[in-house]
Amino acid sequence: MIPDAIERTIAIDAPVERVWSVLTEPAFLGRWFGNGEPVKIDLHPGGLLIFDHGVHGVIPARIETVEPPRVFSWRWSQGAAGEEPDDNNATLVEFTLTEDDSTGGTRLTLVESGFARLGLSAAEVADRHRANSHNWPGKLELLRVDCEQTTA
């Protein structure tokens, strides 16, 4: 049975406001999650977020939640590149930021959920879950480094 969600938590040595900026501003978001170019983002629920993932193509996402500086989420297709997300092809990616009182930094929790509801074959769902599970640690590390080295 394929798990429905991926969850990762990282500690970032930067204040919540800086992490929020790196998480949501076009230039930063494109650097840690895209191909290095600024992303296109309409930062409000229902707005469109467009990532260019180079060899993986252009991936549109629909923004679900914007609660600065604590919660940011988007829904993105697990189907073909360029495919708009909908109820049958997309997972929800949610970032939650909390202050870490012991360090003065931020704890970022990522949850990507909805794999069990994808309208894809079991093999395709397993491939998507495996790939995303493998890729999130590297993306989160890029985000952490950007937060700790960049004034946002």
Side-chain angles (χ1 to χ4, degrees):
M1 181 168 175
I2 301 161
D4 184 54
I6 298 166
E7 184 170 343
R8 303 283 186 269
T9 299
I10 63 168
I12 301 173
D13 187 17
V16 167
E17 292 76 13
R18 183 179 305 167
V19 177
W20 178 262
S21 293
V22 173
L23 191 62
T24 61
E25 290 182 9
F28 293 125
L29 186 51
R31 196 160 56 211
W32 70 266
F33 196 74
N35 68 351
E37 296 297 317
V39 300
K40 295 178 183 172
I41 184 171
D42 187 9
L43 190 60
H44 68 83
L48 195 58
L49 171 57
I50 300 176
F51 299 105
D52 184 344
H53 276 285
V55 297
H56 299 294
V58 174
I59 302 172
R62 189 68 58 196
I63 296 172
E64 295 282 322
T65 309
V66 180
E67 297 175 6
R70 302 283 179 219
V71 182
F72 177 53
S73 69
W74 73 69
R75 189 169 300 281
W76 64 338
S77 171
Q78 296 300 306
E83 187 175 76
E84 290 276 337
D86 65 34
D87 292 341
N88 297 313
N89 70 2
T91 56
L92 178 68
V93 176
E94 183 173 67
F95 299 91
T96 304
L97 308 177
T98 55
E99 293 172 5
D100 186 337
D101 294 331
S102 66
T103 66
T106 303
R107 292 190 61 76
L108 180 145
T109 300
L110 157 84
V111 177
E112 182 176 9
S113 61
F115 289 94
R117 294 183 303 279
L118 291 173
L120 302 171
S121 72
E124 289 173 305
V125 171
D127 285 345
R128 297 293 193 272
H129 189 276
R130 187 178 316 105
N132 292 11
S133 293
H134 175 75
N135 290 328
W136 276 119
K139 296 299 184 187
L140 294 175
E141 178 61 14
L142 290 172
L143 180 135
R144 184 193 65 74
V145 168
D146 220 3
C147 289
E148 292 178 358
Q149 294 181 357
T150 303
T151 301

